[in-house]
Amino acid sequence: MYCPAQVNSLNIKPDGNLSICCAAERDWHVGHISEVDDILELWETNEEFIKIRNGDEELIDHLCGYCIKTAQAGAKNAFYHRHQWNMKTDGKIRYLEFTTSNLCNQTCVTCSSYYSSKWLPLEHAALEMSLPLDKWKRPGVGGFNDFDHPIYRMTDDDIEKILPILPDLERIDIKGGEPFADNNNFYIIKELLRVNPTCEISTTTNLSKLPQKYLDIFSKADNLIRPTVSMDGIGKTYEWVRSTPFEQTIENIKRWKSAVKNTMIGVNHRLNVYNMWNFQDTLNYWHKNLGEHANHFVQMGWVNEPRYSAANAIYTENELKHWLSTLDIPDNNRLILPNLYVFTHSNNYTPAERAMWKHRSKLYAQFMNFTRGIDIFELHPELLQSPYSLDE
């Protein structure tokens, strides 16, 4: 068994399709939640789920190929390590990761309308400005490389189908979109706290939006609450990458830390071609403020899609290693950098392909400069300087 997720995990994707985890092959699912009357019955009787639990090697190789390949490249897969916390593998759903909608309040530069409802009008604005994102991405594939994905939200009936799963869970992971932008998540959390006071609650959030009612209910919970705050940079670079005010997110982290006593706050960061030039300042900031603001900072690795945002598609491995050699990494064991030195896919591009993605990356940055009202080239002139130049 490569990963316990194969026998104890259920994932409800941002489009409502049912799978085993967020990292599994995107095209694979066993149906849509709207088409399922009873999720627990599906879990117990579906032939595909049964094959996975019985260790069908061909199916597992297909579903888990990405994790297996990145592990072989030396990368630590976050989902796999999440399952090392001794969750039972007794045939029941012990881990639930779900997304009730793609409603979101951010338009991160590495995202798409699949995960963020706010990206839908922005994608159309790009086309109106002659930026062919529909050609640079792969519409209909799901994930960060999708385009023109409709706004999706579970119905009330679909939400009710999740409730019977809650009593047996050991961990629940609430994702988005932005979890705190959809009231359905509050309804599910209230029910979970009522029926399962020992289930660990995790949520992947940008935390730029934090309604007080969540703090009120979490402050009274016995459950361990683990928010993972996605913050790809600090200051104006963060605002260019993620579209909302940096200080607003920091203030919400402080609100959370003050109100919720049984909590572990993590900050997650992914490197892309634009924010890598802010990474030294980001490390220094969290070295100074960990403890006061959060419990740990995790550098999750490198963005691979969309490719115009992926440093691996634009810079060679030697160039990335040279960049790494310029970093002065603070000595702090709560700065966790598991995949900083692993450049997956970095050798998969020809010089012509790198030149193409470099050109597109610059055009995309110009579009986002206009959208944000912030000039990333002024913030980080390294983007226009050799050997890392985005110039043709």
Side-chain angles (χ1 to χ4, degrees):
M1 180 173 62
Y2 170 70
C3 175
Q6 296 162 5
V7 295
N8 69 4
S9 172
L10 178 72
N11 171 245
I12 308 175
K13 299 183 178 186
D15 56 10
N17 285 319
L18 303 171
S19 183
I20 60 166
C21 84
C22 63
E25 174 63 34
R26 282 196 195 120
D27 292 340
W28 185 90
H29 60 82
V30 296
H32 193 277
I33 190 171
S34 65
E35 303 165 346
V36 175
D37 294 327
D38 187 323
I39 295 176
L40 286 176
E41 181 182 356
L42 179 79
W43 172 261
E44 293 169 359
T45 62
N46 179 268
E47 290 184 4
E48 296 287 279
F49 278 150
I50 293 172
K51 281 183 181 180
I52 296 168
R53 290 200 291 274
N54 288 339
D56 186 296
E57 291 186 8
E58 183 177 353
L59 181 55
I60 288 172
D61 285 346
H62 174 66
L63 294 183
C64 306
Y66 175 79
C67 290
I68 293 171
K69 288 176 183 176
T70 54
Q72 289 171 343
K76 294 182 179 181
N77 180 268
F79 192 86
Y80 173 85
H81 286 276
R82 201 179 298 164
H83 275 78
Q84 304 312 298
W85 297 342
N86 299 315
M87 278 186 279
K88 295 174 186 172
T89 54
D90 56 0
K92 293 185 177 181
I93 301 173
R94 296 298 184 178
Y95 178 89
L96 173 65
E97 180 182 59
F98 71 93
T99 303
T100 56
S101 72
N102 64 352
L103 299 179
C104 192
N105 63 317
Q106 286 190 336
T107 55
C108 302
V109 298
T110 57
C111 199
S112 74
S113 51
Y114 182 80
Y115 290 115
S116 172
S117 55
K118 289 197 74 173
W119 250 110
L120 190 60
L122 200 58
E123 286 169 352
H124 288 270
L127 296 185
E128 291 173 4
M129 296 179 66
S130 300
L131 190 73
L133 293 186
D134 58 333
K135 302 294 191 301
W136 297 357
K137 293 190 171 189
R138 292 179 292 153
V141 299
F144 299 109
N145 217 28
D146 208 340
F147 182 89
D148 200 31
H149 190 85
I151 294 174
Y152 170 76
R153 190 169 188 252
M154 283 187 197
T155 66
D156 292 345
D157 286 344
D158 291 342
I159 294 296
E160 293 296 324
K161 296 172 187 176
I162 295 174
L163 304 188
I165 303 172
L166 302 182
D168 289 330
L169 293 178
E170 296 184 24
R171 176 164 170 163
I172 193 169
D173 203 341
I174 308 166
K175 306 178 85 172
E178 167 50 45
F180 299 130
D182 188 343
N183 255 340
N184 280 331
N185 289 314
F186 186 74
Y187 175 72
I188 293 170
I189 288 168
K190 279 185 67 177
E191 180 64 11
L192 176 72
L193 295 177
R194 186 183 72 82
V195 302
N196 191 342
T198 62
C199 180
E200 184 175 308
I201 301 171
S202 296
T203 181
T204 302
T205 171
N206 60 53
L207 214 64
S208 64
K209 181 183 181 71
L210 181 57
Q212 182 62 38
K213 65 181 181 180
Y214 284 95
L215 294 182
D216 292 340
I217 196 170
F218 284 149
S219 67
K220 300 171 185 175
D222 293 327
N223 310 59
L224 176 60
I225 319 292
R226 289 178 178 266
T228 296
V229 187
S230 300
M231 297 191 69
D232 301 319
I234 62 169
K236 287 297 181 183
T237 301
Y238 168 90
E239 294 175 6
W240 190 89
V241 171
R242 299 197 70 92
S243 79
T244 54
F246 174 71
E247 291 300 334
Q248 175 179 302
T249 303
I250 295 299
E251 183 58 33
N252 283 339
I253 292 176
K254 292 178 181 178
R255 286 175 59 212
W256 185 294
K257 194 171 179 64
S258 175
V260 185
K261 304 308 177 187
N262 192 16
T263 192
M264 293 283 290
I265 303 174
V267 174
N268 272 13
H269 179 283
R270 281 195 183 274
L271 283 160
N272 60 61
V273 71
Y274 306 110
N275 71 358
M276 58 188 286
W277 306 107
N278 187 234
F279 190 56
Q280 182 68 67
D281 290 339
T282 298
L283 288 174
N284 294 342
Y285 177 89
W286 288 110
H287 173 63
K288 178 180 178 182
N289 293 292
L290 280 172
E292 179 184 357
H293 295 352
N295 297 90
H296 57 269
F297 169 94
V298 182
Q299 202 288 311
M300 294 293 293
W302 299 79
V303 167
N304 288 316
E305 291 181 340
R307 294 182 187 178
Y308 49 73
S309 296
N312 297 346
I314 293 164
Y315 304 144
T316 66
E317 188 167 322
N318 284 337
E319 288 174 324
L320 293 176
K321 286 179 178 177
H322 175 72
W323 169 80
L324 279 171
S325 71
T326 67
L327 295 177
D328 181 13
I329 299 175
D331 184 13
N332 186 329
N333 61 10
R334 290 188 295 176
L335 291 173
I336 304 168
L337 315 174
N339 295 323
L340 182 60
Y341 301 94
V342 180
F343 310 114
T344 55
H345 309 300
S346 62
N347 295 319
N348 295 348
Y349 301 96
T350 66
E353 288 172 331
R354 290 191 191 280
M356 177 187 71
W357 288 115
K358 189 175 287 192
H359 177 63
R360 291 179 179 182
S361 183
K362 183 177 180 181
L363 294 179
Y364 179 72
Q366 291 170 343
F367 169 69
M368 295 309 301
N369 285 347
F370 174 80
T371 300
R372 300 288 196 246
I374 301 171
D375 190 331
I376 193 66
F377 300 119
E378 286 188 5
L379 287 177
H380 302 297
E382 300 94 335
L383 286 163
L384 298 176
Q385 295 172 358
S386 181
Y388 304 104
S389 173
L390 290 183
D391 287 329
E392 292 181 76

